[in-house]
PDB file of all heavy atoms in Angstrom:
ATOM      1  N   LYS A 134      27.617 -15.205 -21.323  1.00  0.00           N
ATOM      2  CA  LYS A 134      26.301 -15.718 -21.735  1.00  0.00           C
ATOM      3  C   LYS A 134      25.365 -15.863 -20.532  1.00  0.00           C
ATOM      4  O   LYS A 134      24.181 -15.528 -20.608  1.00  0.00           O
ATOM      5  CB  LYS A 134      26.416 -17.049 -22.476  1.00  0.00           C
ATOM      6  CG  LYS A 134      25.109 -17.475 -23.113  1.00  0.00           C
ATOM      7  CD  LYS A 134      25.345 -18.426 -24.250  1.00  0.00           C
ATOM      8  CE  LYS A 134      24.178 -18.392 -25.198  1.00  0.00           C
ATOM      9  NZ  LYS A 134      24.500 -18.954 -26.480  1.00  0.00           N
ATOM     10  N   GLN A 135      25.904 -16.340 -19.402  1.00  0.00           N
ATOM     11  CA  GLN A 135      25.076 -16.460 -18.195  1.00  0.00           C
ATOM     12  C   GLN A 135      24.584 -15.079 -17.752  1.00  0.00           C
ATOM     13  O   GLN A 135      23.408 -14.913 -17.411  1.00  0.00           O
ATOM     14  CB  GLN A 135      25.864 -17.103 -17.058  1.00  0.00           C
ATOM     15  CG  GLN A 135      25.961 -18.596 -17.119  1.00  0.00           C
ATOM     16  CD  GLN A 135      26.664 -19.170 -15.900  1.00  0.00           C
ATOM     17  OE1 GLN A 135      26.876 -18.507 -14.896  1.00  0.00           O
ATOM     18  NE2 GLN A 135      27.048 -20.442 -16.015  1.00  0.00           N
ATOM     19  N   ALA A 136      25.467 -14.110 -17.767  1.00  0.00           N
ATOM     20  CA  ALA A 136      25.085 -12.751 -17.369  1.00  0.00           C
ATOM     21  C   ALA A 136      24.014 -12.199 -18.300  1.00  0.00           C
ATOM     22  O   ALA A 136      23.033 -11.590 -17.854  1.00  0.00           O
ATOM     23  CB  ALA A 136      26.306 -11.836 -17.350  1.00  0.00           C
ATOM     24  N   GLN A 137      24.177 -12.426 -19.589  1.00  0.00           N
ATOM     25  CA  GLN A 137      23.225 -11.922 -20.571  1.00  0.00           C
ATOM     26  C   GLN A 137      21.846 -12.562 -20.357  1.00  0.00           C
ATOM     27  O   GLN A 137      20.823 -11.857 -20.321  1.00  0.00           O
ATOM     28  CB  GLN A 137      23.728 -12.213 -21.987  1.00  0.00           C
ATOM     29  CG  GLN A 137      22.873 -11.637 -23.089  1.00  0.00           C
ATOM     30  CD  GLN A 137      23.455 -11.928 -24.468  1.00  0.00           C
ATOM     31  OE1 GLN A 137      24.293 -12.808 -24.642  1.00  0.00           O
ATOM     32  NE2 GLN A 137      23.001 -11.173 -25.447  1.00  0.00           N
ATOM     33  N   VAL A 138      21.811 -13.869 -20.191  1.00  0.00           N
ATOM     34  CA  VAL A 138      20.531 -14.574 -19.972  1.00  0.00           C
ATOM     35  C   VAL A 138      19.910 -14.132 -18.660  1.00  0.00           C
ATOM     36  O   VAL A 138      18.708 -13.872 -18.587  1.00  0.00           O
ATOM     37  CB  VAL A 138      20.747 -16.113 -20.022  1.00  0.00           C
ATOM     38  CG1 VAL A 138      19.516 -16.841 -19.536  1.00  0.00           C
ATOM     39  CG2 VAL A 138      21.102 -16.556 -21.434  1.00  0.00           C
ATOM     40  N   PHE A 139      20.721 -14.017 -17.607  1.00  0.00           N
ATOM     41  CA  PHE A 139      20.207 -13.594 -16.300  1.00  0.00           C
ATOM     42  C   PHE A 139      19.566 -12.207 -16.403  1.00  0.00           C
ATOM     43  O   PHE A 139      18.476 -11.981 -15.906  1.00  0.00           O
ATOM     44  CB  PHE A 139      21.328 -13.588 -15.264  1.00  0.00           C
ATOM     45  CG  PHE A 139      20.847 -13.234 -13.881  1.00  0.00           C
ATOM     46  CD1 PHE A 139      20.376 -14.205 -13.025  1.00  0.00           C
ATOM     47  CD2 PHE A 139      20.872 -11.908 -13.446  1.00  0.00           C
ATOM     48  CE1 PHE A 139      19.926 -13.880 -11.752  1.00  0.00           C
ATOM     49  CE2 PHE A 139      20.423 -11.581 -12.180  1.00  0.00           C
ATOM     50  CZ  PHE A 139      19.937 -12.572 -11.335  1.00  0.00           C
ATOM     51  N   LYS A 140      20.259 -11.268 -17.046  1.00  0.00           N
ATOM     52  CA  LYS A 140      19.716  -9.913 -17.192  1.00  0.00           C
ATOM     53  C   LYS A 140      18.402  -9.930 -17.957  1.00  0.00           C
ATOM     54  O   LYS A 140      17.427  -9.294 -17.551  1.00  0.00           O
ATOM     55  CB  LYS A 140      20.712  -9.012 -17.947  1.00  0.00           C
ATOM     56  CG  LYS A 140      21.874  -8.532 -17.123  1.00  0.00           C
ATOM     57  CD  LYS A 140      22.740  -7.627 -17.983  1.00  0.00           C
ATOM     58  CE  LYS A 140      24.165  -7.660 -17.535  1.00  0.00           C
ATOM     59  NZ  LYS A 140      25.072  -6.939 -18.428  1.00  0.00           N
ATOM     60  N   MET A 141      18.400 -10.660 -19.068  1.00  0.00           N
ATOM     61  CA  MET A 141      17.195 -10.683 -19.910  1.00  0.00           C
ATOM     62  C   MET A 141      16.002 -11.288 -19.174  1.00  0.00           C
ATOM     63  O   MET A 141      14.895 -10.759 -19.236  1.00  0.00           O
ATOM     64  CB  MET A 141      17.463 -11.445 -21.204  1.00  0.00           C
ATOM     65  CG  MET A 141      18.454 -10.732 -22.122  1.00  0.00           C
ATOM     66  SD  MET A 141      18.938 -11.752 -23.521  1.00  0.00           S
ATOM     67  CE  MET A 141      17.536 -11.459 -24.618  1.00  0.00           C
ATOM     68  N   LYS A 142      16.226 -12.378 -18.459  1.00  0.00           N
ATOM     69  CA  LYS A 142      15.118 -13.085 -17.815  1.00  0.00           C
ATOM     70  C   LYS A 142      14.718 -12.448 -16.492  1.00  0.00           C
ATOM     71  O   LYS A 142      13.552 -12.201 -16.233  1.00  0.00           O
ATOM     72  CB  LYS A 142      15.505 -14.565 -17.587  1.00  0.00           C
ATOM     73  CG  LYS A 142      14.368 -15.409 -17.063  1.00  0.00           C
ATOM     74  CD  LYS A 142      13.315 -15.593 -18.130  1.00  0.00           C
ATOM     75  CE  LYS A 142      12.168 -16.433 -17.615  1.00  0.00           C
ATOM     76  NZ  LYS A 142      10.968 -16.225 -18.405  1.00  0.00           N
ATOM     77  N   THR A 143      15.685 -12.162 -15.653  1.00  0.00           N
ATOM     78  CA  THR A 143      15.402 -11.749 -14.281  1.00  0.00           C
ATOM     79  C   THR A 143      15.261 -10.235 -14.116  1.00  0.00           C
ATOM     80  O   THR A 143      14.404  -9.785 -13.363  1.00  0.00           O
ATOM     81  CB  THR A 143      16.511 -12.275 -13.344  1.00  0.00           C
ATOM     82  OG1 THR A 143      16.633 -13.672 -13.551  1.00  0.00           O
ATOM     83  CG2 THR A 143      16.180 -12.013 -11.894  1.00  0.00           C
ATOM     84  N   ILE A 144      16.078  -9.483 -14.800  1.00  0.00           N
ATOM     85  CA  ILE A 144      16.045  -8.023 -14.619  1.00  0.00           C
ATOM     86  C   ILE A 144      15.121  -7.358 -15.631  1.00  0.00           C
ATOM     87  O   ILE A 144      14.309  -6.508 -15.278  1.00  0.00           O
ATOM     88  CB  ILE A 144      17.473  -7.449 -14.691  1.00  0.00           C
ATOM     89  CG1 ILE A 144      18.321  -8.028 -13.555  1.00  0.00           C
ATOM     90  CG2 ILE A 144      17.440  -5.923 -14.604  1.00  0.00           C
ATOM     91  CD1 ILE A 144      19.779  -7.675 -13.599  1.00  0.00           C
ATOM     92  N   LEU A 145      15.229  -7.745 -16.897  1.00  0.00           N
ATOM     93  CA  LEU A 145      14.434  -7.125 -17.950  1.00  0.00           C
ATOM     94  C   LEU A 145      13.092  -7.802 -18.169  1.00  0.00           C
ATOM     95  O   LEU A 145      12.270  -7.309 -18.952  1.00  0.00           O
ATOM     96  CB  LEU A 145      15.240  -7.080 -19.249  1.00  0.00           C
ATOM     97  CG  LEU A 145      16.581  -6.343 -19.173  1.00  0.00           C
ATOM     98  CD1 LEU A 145      17.374  -6.503 -20.459  1.00  0.00           C
ATOM     99  CD2 LEU A 145      16.347  -4.873 -18.840  1.00  0.00           C
TER     100      LEU A 145
END
Side-chain angles (χ1 to χ4, degrees):
K134 189 157 204 163
Q135 280 184 14
Q137 185 179 18
V138 169
F139 183 88
K140 283 182 208 172
M141 293 172 81
K142 186 69 180 159
T143 307
I144 298 173
L145 302 173

